[in-house]
Amino acid sequence: MKFDKNKIKIIICAIAGTTLSWFINHEIGFGAIVASGLVGVIAAILLPASLAGTAYTASFVGMSSTSIIPSLGAALLAGLIVGIMIIFTTEIYAGIGGKGGTTAALSTIITKIILGLFS
Amino acid sequence: MIILVAICAGTATYSISYLLNKGPVFASALVTLISGIFLPYFLPENGPTLMAVAACASYAGQVSNKNVPNLREMIMVSLITGALFIIFSTSYVGIGGRLGSIAAISCFTWMGIKKVFKNDNLQDNKISYINKVNFSEK
């Protein structure tokens, strides 16, 4: 996989989206729905459309409970994984509502498996 | 109530996205945020469930207008989303992206239904065309 500037931006946005959503959800205690909505609105206002979509997709991963993603470090790892997943799945099922959520769910499950290997 | 909230959230997202031209991410995030703030406030008993339903339907509302070209079809997709939310209410709880997956399944279900009916119509047209040709030959 060739890393260009755009892919690095996607990964940074994904990590930021996941960690921010997880932080608002669990540390501030606003809950998963508000956390994801807040990250999505901020991303849609501040970022260009494609990167806003990335950050919003990543925010779905941050909606996970602490039994799945227990710490901010795990959220960082999950953000990295969802970023890679978004890069690999850009062309697949574009324009289907919920594609981002499905990508996020798969990334969350992969993160859980990786965390399970080290615990 | 779940189906009603799903229809409202889905159509609201679709309307903000395409009729107001604000884009799917902003539309879905706005509907999710508003439902996350107001539904638990006004409906303290069912609020947490209903805001999850609204978020789920808003993800489905992000669908492209090539796949769901009008608001009537969006109502059908939202209806399927609400029904699937009830069916999958105990599955994969706590996994981030679960609601989005339900939304994706709803969109695929609707597109599948559309395809089946389209093929049926095509087949009917084909049969009537063949009958017409046969009659004219006779």
Side-chain angles (χ1 to χ4, degrees):
Chain A
M1 190 172 72
K2 207 178 145 189
F3 270 95
D4 56 28
K5 236 179 185 178
N6 203 32
K7 284 174 185 165
I8 291 167
K9 277 182 193 170
I10 287 173
I11 290 191
I12 290 168
C13 282
I15 291 171
T18 306
T19 47
L20 198 62
S21 173
W22 189 90
F23 189 81
I24 296 168
N25 182 7
H26 297 297
E27 294 292 325
I28 301 177
F30 279 180
I33 305 286
V34 174
S36 171
L38 208 57
V39 171
V41 169
I42 293 167
I45 292 168
L46 299 180
L47 297 171
S50 60
L51 289 177
T54 300
Y56 193 42
T57 300
S59 80
F60 301 155
V61 179
M63 292 168 85
S64 301
S65 70
T66 44
S67 62
I68 309 289
I69 297 179
S71 63
L72 202 64
L76 274 165
L77 175 71
L80 179 72
I81 290 167
V82 76
I84 294 167
M85 287 292 290
I86 289 167
I87 291 169
F88 278 123
T89 59
T90 311
E91 303 289 316
I92 305 167
Y93 296 129
I96 299 287
K99 182 207 162 192
T102 313
T103 311
L106 189 60
S107 308
T108 309
I109 291 165
I110 291 170
T111 308
K112 196 180 179 230
I113 291 167
I114 292 171
L115 290 174
L117 292 175
F118 292 102
S119 64
Chain B
M1 192 70 173
I2 285 175
I3 302 276
L4 195 73
V5 169
I7 290 172
C8 290
T11 50
T13 306
Y14 189 84
S15 304
I16 295 168
S17 177
Y18 293 110
L19 303 181
L20 301 180
N21 239 350
K22 296 285 180 190
V25 173
F26 181 77
S28 169
L30 192 69
V31 170
T32 304
L33 187 60
I34 289 170
S35 59
I37 293 168
F38 290 107
L39 282 176
Y41 183 77
F42 288 114
L43 301 161
E45 274 184 24
N46 299 327
T49 307
L50 292 178
M51 69 181 186
V53 174
C56 186
S58 85
Y59 303 151
Q62 288 183 294
V63 68
S64 156
N65 56 0
K66 281 178 194 161
N67 296 324
V68 175
N70 54 50
L71 213 56
R72 224 178 317 153
E73 285 193 20
M74 192 59 233
I75 292 171
M76 293 308 293
V77 175
S78 306
L79 203 128
I80 295 167
T81 308
L84 286 179
F85 184 89
I86 297 166
I87 294 166
F88 292 126
S89 57
T90 52
S91 313
Y92 296 112
V93 176
I95 300 272
R98 172 183 160 253
L99 299 175
S101 304
I102 294 172
I105 294 166
S106 311
C107 289
F108 281 125
T109 306
W110 177 246
M111 284 160 66
I113 290 168
K114 261 175 51 172
K115 204 170 182 182
V116 165
F117 279 97
K118 209 175 175 184
N119 283 347
D120 274 356
N121 284 343
L122 274 177
Q123 217 146 28
D124 286 346
N125 288 343
K126 218 173 176 181
I127 290 164
S128 63
Y129 175 75
I130 290 166
N131 286 339
K132 226 185 249 178
V133 170
N134 286 343
F135 273 120
S136 63
E137 277 175 358
K138 281 173 190 172

